[in-house]
Amino acid sequence: MSRPTPVTTGRYAPPAPARELTATSADGAPIHVEVHGPEDAPAVVLAHGWTCSTAFWAAQIGELADGHRVIAYDQRGHGRTPASPACSTDALADDLEAVLTATLASGERAVIAGHSMGGMTVMAASARPAFREHAAAVLLCSTGSARLVPESTVLPLRPGRVRTWITGHILGSRAPLGPVTPATRRILTYATMGPASAPDMVEACARIVHACPRTVRHAWSHVLATLDLDAAVRELNVPAEIVVGTADRLTPPVHARALAAALPDCRGVTELPGVGHMTPVEEPDLVTTRIRDLVTAHVSAPPPSVPAEESA
């Protein structure tokens, strides 16, 4: 069942798409897709993270849609994509392949940006035919390929089995998040954002995260807890850039450094002082600039169409 887009205002209010469509994944699951900007512009594909939705990319969509075709989609059970019993890295890869096939012409290439679980989606799809056909370059924001729970610093405890056990139970909790209140905003800020995050950033993230059904949050938490995409990272044979916040408690910089060492063509790692896990919201201009620069470097805009009477 589809759900309404979380209500936000200002820069973090999702713009209306130029068109919407439904991509059909390998198992028949419908995937909600939004397309922004001119149809003949260079393409950017955005994959959001756990408990988020297309609304998470509002700032990037707003800035890029003027000169790019921006394609954003909701992961299974998130936003306006219905929940599915199939929750796995294979399903993530299937869904991204379906979106690429449904929105890009044969041979057309795009920059693909993934945040958190969206970055894991990019890794999971690295060897897939549609990904290899369409991916020109990738941006990996606040993500990792394995050991997410053991490396998490959400709990201020020494690394080890006790911290890992408690962290796993917290992140995998079935408990409802409840309404957005001052208390829940403080909890969200501590767990997912930098301490200097502006109130409008916190409000936008809170409304998006709280809109995710707890059953969906719980189902995908198991996938993240057992994640192992180390081999897939080594198959990601396109130019890649990485962005991470130094105050990221969910995917600390140790993951970014491991990715940089494993990627076949890593073009750089940007560590943002004091920034948390929600980098596209906390540092929207930097993330947008990284995407735009990757498009400039690796995606060629198609030539303008010639009217029939001029081409005769």
Side-chain angles (χ1 to χ4, degrees), residues 139 243 270 272 283-291:
L139 179 67
V243 172
T270 302
L272 302 169
E283 286 287 346
D285 294 335
L286 181 137
V287 170
T288 299
T289 297
R290 289 289 184 274
I291 295 171

Side-chain angles (χ1 to χ4, degrees), residues 148-192:
L148 300 183
V149 175
E151 298 290 358
S152 169
T153 58
V154 168
L155 291 179
L157 301 174
R158 293 176 58 186
R161 286 184 297 175
V162 172
R163 188 181 78 176
T164 298
W165 186 86
I166 299 174
T167 300
H169 279 71
I170 291 173
L171 297 180
S173 171
R174 294 179 183 269
L177 296 181
V180 177
T181 66
T184 59
R185 289 189 198 96
R186 285 194 294 273
I187 293 170
L188 181 82
T189 303
Y190 170 79
T192 69

Side-chain angles (χ1 to χ4, degrees), residues 100-120:
L100 296 175
T101 301
T103 58
L104 300 176
S106 177
E108 182 181 10
R109 296 169 73 77
V111 168
I112 305 174
H115 170 259
S116 191
M117 192 173 79
M120 299 160 202

Side-chain angles (χ1 to χ4, degrees), residues 9 39 45 59 137 145 148-149 161 166 181 203 212 264 287 309:
T9 59
E39 287 292 335
V45 178
S145 60
L148 300 183
V149 175
R161 286 184 297 175
I166 299 174
T181 66
E203 183 70 17
C212 181
V287 170
E309 59 271 18

Side-chain angles (χ1 to χ4, degrees), residues 138-140 239-243 256 260 263 265-271 290:
V138 300
L139 179 67
L140 303 174
E241 287 203 26
I242 302 169
V243 172
L263 284 165
D265 189 7
C266 182
R267 299 296 176 94
V269 179
T270 302
E271 294 192 16
R290 289 289 184 274

Side-chain angles (χ1 to χ4, degrees), residues 186-218:
R186 285 194 294 273
I187 293 170
L188 181 82
T189 303
Y190 170 79
T192 69
M193 305 183 78
S197 297
D200 60 339
M201 296 177 181
V202 175
E203 183 70 17
C205 287
R207 291 189 177 278
I208 292 168
V209 170
H210 281 241
C212 181
R214 62 175 173 169
T215 53
V216 171
R217 188 181 80 238
H218 175 73

Side-chain angles (χ1 to χ4, degrees), residues 53-97:
S53 67
T54 58
F56 187 78
W57 295 104
Q60 284 70 45
I61 294 170
E63 291 294 325
L64 291 170
D66 183 46
H68 303 77
R69 186 164 87 263
V70 184
I71 300 157
Y73 71 100
D74 285 322
Q75 305 270 22
R76 295 186 182 212
H78 298 73
R80 294 172 62 184
T81 292
S84 166
C87 295
S88 66
T89 54
D90 281 341
L92 292 174
D94 287 343
D95 297 350
L96 177 55
E97 274 205 302

